[in-house]
Amino acid sequence: MKSSKKTFITNKMLKSAIRDSFKKLNPKDMIKNPVMFVAYIGMIITAILTFFPQIVGENGRIYNGIVTVILFATIVFANFAEAIAEGRGKAQADTLKSTKKDTKAKLLKPDGSYTIVSASELRKGSLVLVEAGDMIPNDGEVIEGLASVNESAITGESAPVIKESGGDFSCVTGGTTVVSDWIKVEITSEPGESFLDKMISLVEGASRKKTPNEIALSTLLIALTVIFLVVIISLYPIANFVGVKLEVSTLVALLVCLIPTTIGGLLSSIGIAGMDRVTRFNVIAMSGKAVEACGDVDVMILDKTGTITFGNRLAADFIPVEGILKDEMIKYSLITSIKDTTPEGKSTIDLGQKLGFQIDEKEYAEDEFLEFTAQTKSSGVNLKNGEKIRKGANSAIIEFVKNNGGSIPNDLKEKVDGISKLGGTPLVVAKDDKIYGVIYLKDTVKPGLAERFVKLREMGIKTIMCTGDNPLTAATIASEAGVDEYIAECTPEDKIEAIKKEQDLGKIVAMTGDGTNDAPALAQANVGIAMNSGTIAAKEAANMVDLDSDPTKILDVVGIGKQLLITRGALTTFSIANDVAKYFAIIPAMFMIAIPQMQILNVMRLSSSKSAIISALIFNAIIIPLLIPIALKGVKYVPMKPEKILKRNLSIYGLGGVLVPFIGIKIIDIIITPLLALLGM
């Protein structure tokens, strides 16, 4: 499901979209888009006049036929824009459906034995056994066992994840496969209501409901259409008054050119494509409203652990005790970490190497290395020469040194307490009867986050970090990460209060979470992104689910939401600006024979009134498919303040919307003038 590996539009999508474009000509479908429905009615009128021009006392079958064909193309192009956007969503749904099979499940009996049943027979509360090679039949919670699960069918990631009972990693998804070991799962959803089923229905663009902003814009477009309809109806008696005979097809063409058909034809595809972009980013949005809300986010509330920091405490400094050389302390720290595969051990080696220290592992290949255990609270190595080197918790190392007849340095407590007050973890290093110093482990801020927070600030978005750490540690991490505010010793209740406080100020709030205790806050936030690896409670409370379980993705999702809003605004601006050029193309052409003074408005110097009208109508039709790539891919979004974005888009799409039609209509006029002459028009 990774977007980088997806073809933008496949031949299959293209064929399906073309077929659906004609299917959507059904009046029941057309009336859902009032702007295009007006063009649809206009096409029917001109089609009737093509065969029966005498109804209105005209004799222009060829002209009426040309207008009809162009209007038909306009409507089909608009349908195609929506169909191709829907097709991309349906293609993803088909991929998901291919992973959804009627699998067999091992339904557990009360006596511990099991019977093989169809997955469709399972109900909420059923207990199943899933062993290596088995597909998990439906969503559930691990109640016993531990297993490695391949979730590539859902996330696109081939690396398996560990699932076990208890905690935030007990949730399993139907359609994923157990790679090793076994688990007992309690089914938590009824057939047809699994997460995979929801994903399939959500990526089906055809079932997408209009968002509030889209409804508001649709209302505006309808209002503009009604206004132009009144103008066109009023124009007929005015033309008669000044002695200008206006054909019905001309009035229809003028109406279709002046109403916002461009954005009317692209509006649905923009919305569908917005949800599609989020989905291709491996985030499932529960509604288009959630995607739009991302674009309006004012405040982001972020967990510290796993979002702002790595979550694993990494070596940050070597602090020797009094009387010990730092180089000597670093040497013994690295020796104890040679075969320590924990993040702490690896980071100790990395930090030592950055400081210029190298350890030859071959030199210690035959030595006895001791892994960290909960009982000893330490790890280390027993060298061949009899020396014993240890690193671990303060209490464990003190006991080790005392057992070897050593004494405790006077400044050890001060150094250990100083690290603890900063929220770090002290690892004391000793050799035999002597303590050498303390390794300072700290939760490290992810690289590049500070720069991203600066960009968010430029966009007018405030960041708030939530952490259970003490105020001193919270302040240190907040300063290093560059967040605007922080909440120390934060409880789930504190998160909800923080969200409500911002919402009371009229702010749109986003946050991420993965645990059951995050569910209330996710539900309260305007944009709640739950991790796919998290609990079912968190996923049900949120309005987005990140399939990659990357908490920092909220930063990118906000960008996608803003891109959706900017794309809609930019193309609306372009569409309305188009009408200015069409006005200068058609109105002077219609009246300049009876009113020669209007020739001054014919700035494009179009050949004739018929060529002007047909040229404008053709441009109005072809601009829709030309803008489809922008509608689907979205306008390029560059993080900046809203007022700068507005100025940028007005200069590009506002000015471009005025200039492009002038050029396009003139070129079309030059091309079609000889053809119209051949037809005697």
Side-chain angles (χ1 to χ4, degrees), residues 169-185:
F169 294 92
S170 61
C171 174
V172 291
T173 306
T176 58
T177 306
V178 171
V179 178
S180 65
D181 302 296
W182 60 270
I183 48 176
K184 288 182 181 179
V185 176

Side-chain angles (χ1 to χ4, degrees), residues 8 270 277 567 570-571 626-635 653:
F8 183 64
I270 294 169
R277 279 195 295 276
T567 300
L571 293 184
L626 291 177
L627 291 175
I628 287 176
I630 296 177
L632 297 184
K633 289 185 177 180
V635 173
Y653 293 94

Side-chain angles (χ1 to χ4, degrees), residues 200-471:
I200 291 171
S201 65
L202 286 167
V203 298
E204 293 271 14
S207 62
R208 186 188 67 91
K209 294 182 179 179
K210 287 188 176 182
T211 63
N213 283 347
E214 197 172 342
I215 292 171
L217 182 55
S218 296
T219 304
L220 173 63
L221 298 183
I222 292 170
L224 289 174
T225 301
V226 171
I227 290 170
F228 281 118
L229 186 59
V230 172
V231 169
I232 297 302
I233 293 172
S234 303
L235 195 61
Y236 189 78
I238 294 173
N240 284 336
F241 180 76
V242 296
V244 176
K245 171 68 174 174
L246 292 181
E247 296 166 306
V248 173
S249 293
T250 298
L251 291 173
V252 171
L254 178 60
L255 175 63
V256 172
C257 283
L258 294 185
I259 63 176
T261 48
T262 305
I263 187 61
L266 296 171
L267 189 58
S268 293
S269 62
I270 294 169
I272 295 170
M275 287 191 67
D276 177 67
R277 279 195 295 276
V278 172
T279 305
R280 287 171 181 266
F281 205 67
N282 260 20
V283 174
I284 297 297
M286 301 305 178
S287 68
K289 184 178 180 180
V291 181
E292 278 194 352
C294 287
D296 290 326
V297 164
D298 302 299
V299 179
M300 293 179 64
I301 295 182
L302 304 155
D303 274 328
K304 186 204 77 172
T305 306
T307 304
I308 293 175
T309 64
F310 283 104
N312 296 319
R313 297 183 182 273
L314 307 178
D317 197 7
F318 298 104
I319 305 172
V321 294
E322 187 177 357
I324 298 294
L325 295 175
K326 188 170 184 176
D327 289 2
E328 197 173 12
M329 186 253 170
I330 295 174
K331 173 187 173 182
Y332 290 124
S333 299
L334 298 187
I335 292 173
T336 63
S337 303
I338 289 174
K339 292 190 177 181
D340 185 350
T341 58
T342 65
E344 293 86 352
K346 291 179 180 179
S347 65
T348 298
I349 295 289
D350 292 341
L351 181 60
Q353 290 176 344
K354 288 179 182 177
L355 295 175
F357 289 84
Q358 296 290 336
I359 293 294
D360 185 0
E361 294 187 20
K362 295 179 181 178
E363 187 179 338
Y364 302 93
E366 298 179 5
D367 294 322
E368 179 189 6
F369 284 86
L370 307 174
E371 293 184 2
F372 178 89
T373 67
Q375 289 75 30
T376 62
K377 295 182 180 179
S378 65
S379 62
V381 58
N382 295 331
L383 302 179
K384 295 189 297 290
N385 60 12
E387 293 179 339
K388 297 179 180 180
I389 308 171
R390 298 287 186 272
K391 74 167 188 269
N394 182 42
S395 58
I397 300 303
I398 287 176
E399 183 179 353
F400 169 77
V401 170
K402 286 183 176 179
N403 289 340
N404 283 283
S407 59
I408 309 304
N410 295 328
D411 61 338
L412 177 64
K413 186 176 186 303
E414 177 188 342
K415 296 186 184 311
V416 168
D417 290 347
I419 292 173
S420 298
K421 287 178 181 178
L422 290 173
T425 300
L427 282 184
V428 181
V429 179
K431 180 170 76 83
D432 295 329
D433 61 349
K434 190 174 183 180
I435 290 178
Y436 282 76
V438 186
I439 302 173
Y440 173 22
L441 300 179
K442 63 174 291 190
D443 205 353
T444 308
V445 173
K446 293 181 178 180
L449 271 188
E451 291 78 6
R452 297 181 78 178
F453 287 142
V454 169
K455 290 182 179 179
L456 288 173
R457 197 172 296 112
E458 290 174 354
M459 293 156 51
I461 297 175
K462 180 171 72 173
T463 52
I464 301 175
M465 180 186 79
C466 292
T467 175
D469 291 333
N470 62 62

Side-chain angles (χ1 to χ4, degrees), residues 496-509:
I496 295 175
E497 287 303 314
I499 294 170
K500 287 182 178 179
K501 178 182 176 183
E502 296 295 337
Q503 288 174 333
D504 289 342
L505 296 174
K507 306 294 185 182
I508 304 296
V509 183

Side-chain angles (χ1 to χ4, degrees), residues 15 51 99 240 272 444 490 518 550 558-559 564 577 592 620:
K15 291 177 182 178
F51 296 100
T99 67
N240 284 336
I272 295 170
T444 308
C490 184
D518 291 324
D550 177 7
V558 166
L564 168 63
M592 61 188 178
N620 191 63

